[in-house]
Amino acid sequence: MQLTLTLSGSVGMQLLLLVSNLLLWENVASKPTSFVSTEDLYHRVVEQSHNTFILAADVYREFDLNFAKRSWLKDRILPLCHTASIHTPENREEVHETKTEELLKAIINVSISWEEPLKHLVSAVTALPGASVSMGKKAVDLRDKNLLILEGLQAIYNRTQANIEENEKFDYPAWSGLEDLQSSNEDTHLFAIYNLCRCIKRDIHKIDAYMKVLRCRVVFKNEC
Ligand SMILES: *[C@@H]1O[C@H](CO)[C@@H](O)[C@H](O)[C@H]1NC(C)=O
Ligand SMILES: *[C@@H]1O[C@H](CO)[C@@H](O)[C@H](O)[C@H]1NC(C)=O
């Protein structure tokens, strides 16, 4: 309480929020979504997206180090990620001009469209001869964390809507890489895994960056 009285203005408020959020964290992390405040939902999702990006970067690094072929870089063109058609802001200005709901919707779109490919990435990585057990576990974690992030995002998005339509159909881009991923040609198979690792790392990074901007906007009133 002493701390509260001696700090003034938004910096003090932010510090206070930060401290109280750290203290509340243990509680919040295990509560069902519907009992959590919107502020805490933002903290929860940002914590998850931040950690998930680290996981995705680890999986990518390990695959790149041990399985990627240098020849791909000159012989092959890196395909666009399957989420490339989802419109997301390109730079800070564009982010700031995008409404919270629109940005949330785009991020949800990205997260949903990874549900299916991440399942297949898990099967591919855990069956890959020579892959470490830890890489397999990280891939499983990546798949599960994406679902948690998605749940948090949907809960936040729901609260921005006055009327949520039941069974609203959410359109998202399909992933068409299954055939290559299951190819008996080793090079095609490995290249497909590589692209999934590369794209999920990129997309989780996007989700993490946008959620940090939105948390700043919604929770800290742009004072961060
Ligand atoms: C998700 O992105 C796809 C691809 O751009 C688009 O066709 C679809 O309408 C988006 N879904 C939503 C709900 O915005
Ligand atoms: C969001 O609202 C929809 C429609 O009512 C509901 O089906 C869904 O469970 C809600 N999601 C969350 C995470 O609260």
Side-chain angles (χ1 to χ4, degrees):
M1 273 301 126
Q2 285 303 320
L3 189 68
T4 328
L5 296 172
T6 52
L7 289 167
S8 61
S10 61
V11 174
M13 198 56 210
Q14 270 180 45
L15 257 179
L16 195 67
L17 279 173
L18 208 67
V19 171
S20 68
N21 276 308
L22 284 176
L23 294 176
L24 282 174
W25 181 250
E26 294 248 319
N27 256 324
V28 169
S30 56
K31 268 196 214 165
T33 304
S34 47
F35 299 117
V36 178
S37 69
T38 302
E39 283 74 17
D40 284 337
L41 280 177
Y42 270 103
H43 294 305
R44 192 195 262 191
V45 173
V46 167
E47 171 95 5
Q48 285 162 346
S49 62
H50 185 85
N51 293 335
T52 309
F53 173 63
I54 294 170
L55 269 179
D58 278 356
V59 172
Y60 173 82
R61 192 181 314 115
E62 185 166 342
F63 188 86
D64 189 45
L65 214 58
N66 299 314
F67 302 96
K69 300 211 171 75
R70 294 307 134 203
S71 60
W72 290 343
L73 294 178
K74 54 178 170 46
D75 300 345
R76 287 177 178 270
I77 296 167
L78 291 179
L80 285 176
C81 299
H82 74 286
T83 50
S85 65
I86 300 172
H87 179 76
T88 48
E90 301 281 338
N91 52 45
R92 275 195 95 75
E93 281 67 44
E94 258 191 68
V95 173
H96 287 300
E97 285 160 9
T98 308
K99 284 202 285 190
T100 299
E101 286 150 73
E102 287 309 307
L103 201 49
L104 281 172
K105 207 166 166 181
I107 303 172
I108 291 173
N109 206 341
V110 173
S111 181
I112 290 187
S113 70
W114 272 103
E115 237 185 290
E116 195 60 25
L118 279 177
K119 287 184 204 160
H120 294 289
L121 181 66
V122 167
S123 317
V125 165
T126 47
L128 188 63
S132 72
V133 173
S134 105
M135 182 158 85
K137 282 190 178 146
K138 282 176 183 170
V140 169
D141 222 13
L142 199 53
R143 177 200 64 196
D144 295 347
K145 288 269 168 47
N146 180 54
L147 293 180
L148 278 179
I149 291 172
L150 181 57
E151 190 195 338
L153 290 170
Q154 280 172 329
I156 294 173
Y157 181 76
N158 275 3
R159 293 181 190 188
T160 69
Q161 303 301 100
N163 305 298
I164 308 155
E165 298 193 14
E166 288 289 344
N167 306 318
E168 188 186 357
K169 187 94 183 69
F170 198 105
D171 251 352
Y172 60 90
W175 170 68
S176 57
L178 187 58
E179 201 179 312
D180 280 359
L181 190 67
Q182 296 179 337
S183 168
S184 55
N185 178 302
E186 194 199 19
D187 200 58
T188 305
H189 173 62
L190 290 178
F191 191 58
I193 300 179
Y194 175 72
N195 283 308
L196 281 175
C197 293
R198 181 176 65 85
C199 289
I200 187 64
K201 178 180 156 217
R202 191 198 76 140
D203 282 348
I204 292 286
H205 186 249
K206 262 192 181 178
I207 292 177
D208 186 44
Y210 293 149
M211 283 311 289
K212 282 172 179 163
V213 172
L214 286 183
R215 177 174 67 167
C216 179
R217 182 189 290 176
V218 174
V219 178
F220 298 121
K221 312 293 175 233
N222 279 330
E223 304 218 18
C224 36

